[in-house]
Amino acid sequence: MKNEIKIANPGKKLTEEATEWFLRIYSDEIAAGDFSSWRDWINRSPAHAEAFDSVSEFWQQSEQVNDLPWPSESELEQDHYDGKAALPVFQHSDVHNSQRSWILASAQVAAVLVLSFGLLFVAIQDLGFPAQKSQIVYETGIAEHKAVDLNDGSQILLGAKSKILIDYTLSERNITLKSGEAFFDVAKDETRPFIVTAGLRSIEAVGTSFNINLNNQDTAVSVIEGVVSISVSPSALTAGEKVEPVPMTPLFMLNAGQELVASTSGFDDVVRPFNADAVTSWRIGRHVFVGKPLETVIANLNRYSDQKIVIAEDEIKGVLFTGTVFNDNISDWLDGLDKAFNVRIINVKDDDLILIASSLDSAEPHHQ
Amino acid sequence: MQQESAPSPRAENEEERRAVVAQVYREHNTALIKYLNAKLSSPLDAQDVAHEAFVRMLRLDEPETISHLQAFLFKIAKNIAIDRLRSRSRSLEIQTDQEKINRHACSNPGQDVVFEARQELNYVRKIIAKLPPKCRKAFMLYKFEGVSYREIAKEMRLSESMVRKYVLRGVAFCSDHIKR
């Protein structure tokens, strides 16, 4: 077999030599007679053995990385690295600081996943045989809850006016929360990751319970038990093609007691502690809000209210509300809101309510 | 049965063989295990296969010279390793990432171990993402898609030696950053 790699070029870095040996062994480009020179090399010094071990270790660890973005065509075009010199060594901190990556455009990369012919093949297959996809959809109406028992023992409690897609395969448990809220109690199955996609985020859990609240303003992932990891959802990456500067995939690990809030517009995720009772109380028919903007409060209550509540003015949307609202008592709460805050409620039609700042009250007709 | 005190030629052979194998073992075990680890991506499997190779060597009927034995040792080990890889790819359909993690880690890791492993994974992912685009593509095709150097060269419209260089540089770069 033709072998263009020359081993033990003097002055070369040890890791490069180790990598040459590694790749030769890996790709079987090593003849029986070479074993003694291989043995001599590895036994030359502990540093040699160590260098080789770090190559093996990288190879092994990277085996588990499966969602790497492929470089885009434009990136490839702009890349002038000719491989002549070894790549520079980064400081440890640089690796963590994705902003300083020399591949500035790599953010858009993920959108071009399909360029890999391997993936393209998969994509074509998917298009060709849509029937093989067995997605189950669950949807709830206003003020309706639904408990979903999955065949792996996991349970989902779907909040009102919520929609969820379930797509279980042999290797993955994929869930998509399309709208609303859901509480997940995940059965432990290390062979099949449990992945929930909600808005711009993907949430992966092993065996844990957590709540996801998806509304027009943000996606909140609250971990009650165990650990989940959060990444950018595939749909967010595709969207990133249109919206210009998308930062590199930020990834978070959330522990029990931590909550991640991702805005629907961008990537300025916030991780913070949360009150578990407040977040999960919707399951028992009440909504506890701690310092939530009125806009979010109303968005959540609208899923439980027959009358649609609309906030007419932006200045009210940001008013922070702390308190408890009962499912069967939303209209009473609205009446109280009148007194507690500087707002008025206008009953437009029989079933639509409009919230306005009370200073504008006199200018607006009470009934239409 | 050979219970006489005077060793028969056969037993003498046997003893000699053991001495020779022991010597080969001392001299080659480290290199062999590292070799197997590169092929199998699993320290456990590497140990296992090395052990099996030595056992098979002990069972050889014909006496061999040391230089023959070392070549033979690697040959046996390589064959066993290839068998393993084959049976592994057969079960690949039902094997998941988590199983791969388990194969490398101890059995049934605790949550903190899983957590740590995942953080490490993020780190590896970030390092690979640092590779220049062409270098990264060549590496990813080679490593993850199992595409040969020649095929990658065709796909990327580069020379095969350039593809080799990219993969080499990429792997060396990442390996340099993996040691902490």
Side-chain angles (χ1 to χ4, degrees), chain A residues 35-49, chain B residues 26-32 34:
Chain A
F35 286 125
S36 55
S37 51
W38 150 246
R39 192 208 52 182
D40 290 346
W41 187 88
I42 196 79
N43 288 335
R44 200 165 296 162
S45 80
H48 284 72
Chain B
R26 276 195 303 277
E27 285 175 5
H28 292 81
N29 193 38
T30 311
L32 181 66
K34 289 195 192 306

Side-chain angles (χ1 to χ4, degrees), chain B residues 101-119:
Chain B
I101 292 174
N102 291 347
R103 201 173 68 232
H104 303 306
C106 54
S107 57
N108 206 10
Q111 199 135 49
D112 50 337
V113 176
V114 172
F115 179 72
E116 207 170 278
R118 268 162 214 272
Q119 274 187 326

Side-chain angles (χ1 to χ4, degrees), chain A residues 341-363:
Chain A
F341 293 94
N342 199 18
V343 296
R344 269 263 172 276
I345 294 137
I346 304 172
N347 204 334
V348 182
K349 283 177 273 170
D350 273 350
D351 46 12
D352 275 6
L353 299 168
I354 293 192
L355 278 181
I356 59 161
S358 57
S359 53
L360 297 174
D361 189 16
S362 53

Side-chain angles (χ1 to χ4, degrees), chain A residues 4-30:
Chain A
E4 292 163 64
I5 299 170
K6 289 177 191 68
I7 302 294
N9 198 342
K12 227 183 213 180
K13 278 180 64 215
L14 214 49
T15 318
E16 298 251 317
E17 276 184 38
T19 307
E20 287 182 8
W21 273 114
F22 182 93
L23 291 171
R24 281 185 72 189
I25 292 171
Y26 177 78
S27 59
D28 259 342
E29 292 176 344
I30 182 164

